[in-house]
Amino acid sequence: MKALLLIDVQYDFMPGGSLPVTEGDHIIPVINHLQNHFDLVIASQDWHPPEHLSFARNHLGQQAFAEIELNGLAQTLWPAHCVQGSQGAELHRDLDCRKIAAIFRKGMNPEIDSYSAFYDNGHRQSTGLTGYLKERAVDTLYFTGLAADFCVYFSIIDALKAGFACVLIEDATRAIDPENFKRQKQQLLAEGVKIINSRDL
Ligand code: VGL
Ligand code: ZN
């Protein structure tokens, strides 16, 4: 059984949002079309409390994109984004949500960031996504969404560890830093991830 994963297709990661990814909105029609090929579609949603410690504004004298240590883990400080209940945290209205069977929220604990849809960055707490997918006999995951070099990348790393075959649909994602994503793609290929274009499906 295969499943399509839509990672963080939220306004704050789109042009005009607080942590915009270049061309982030270009992936929406691609994802909408892709859904025709899947019987199971799952989404994730970055869902931070206002006091989340990944936000630069919650650290005196820190600027967005600074690198700090937070509770023993390296942490990039971000502009405030995807605050619970805010418009920026909503899934984009042009995203076809009719087939989304479940939405897994992450990043609720203010003390730790959570890029992956499976675990927080310290692997301390699971979202339950692995169990959900295994119970539905899913063995192959197709990844789409934002941002390619953060939440999509770290979700794939965790999915590999959990034993899922992983396919990254390249034209259904965009990176915050495309150069960084280029290196990550080489690593993912070496670990057995298939990288395809939506046309190839
Ligand atoms: C993300 C940075 C901070 C993402 C979430 O969805 O890729 N990136 N929070
Ligand atoms: Zn976040």
Side-chain angles (χ1 to χ4, degrees), residues 111-125:
E111 297 289 330
I112 190 162
D113 214 350
S114 189
Y115 296 146
S116 159
F118 293 89
Y119 288 96
D120 63 61
N121 290 3
H123 281 238
R124 288 168 202 161
Q125 199 172 344

Side-chain angles (χ1 to χ4, degrees), residues 10-11 28 36 43 49 73 83 89 97 99 108 120 137 143-144 149 168 190:
Q10 292 166 269
Y11 283 108
I28 296 170
N36 296 325
L73 295 175
V83 172
C97 291
K99 286 180 82 172
M108 281 99 93
D120 63 61
F143 286 88
T144 69
D149 48 341
L168 172 63

Side-chain angles (χ1 to χ4, degrees), residues 5 7-8 42-47 102-109 112-121 123-133 155 158-159 164:
L5 250 57
I7 304 291
D8 302 1
I42 311 291
S44 71
Q45 198 171 17
D46 211 30
W47 194 249
I103 300 175
F104 285 77
R105 287 177 169 164
K106 60 190 181 64
M108 281 99 93
N109 180 348
I112 190 162
D113 214 350
S114 189
Y115 296 146
S116 159
F118 293 89
Y119 288 96
D120 63 61
N121 290 3
H123 281 238
R124 288 168 202 161
Q125 199 172 344
S126 157
T127 61
L129 178 55
T130 306
Y132 179 97
L133 294 169
S155 294
D158 280 345
F164 295 103

Side-chain angles (χ1 to χ4, degrees), residues 8 13 19 46-48 52 54-55 78-79 81-82 106-107 113-115 151:
D8 302 1
F13 300 122
L19 181 41
D46 211 30
W47 194 249
H48 298 306
H52 199 271
S54 74
F55 296 171
W78 303 107
H81 64 277
C82 299
K106 60 190 181 64
D113 214 350
S114 189
Y115 296 146
C151 291

Side-chain angles (χ1 to χ4, degrees), residues 166-177:
C166 294
V167 182
L168 172 63
I169 307 175
E170 209 175 359
D171 55 328
T173 188
R174 289 292 188 281
I176 292 175
D177 177 354

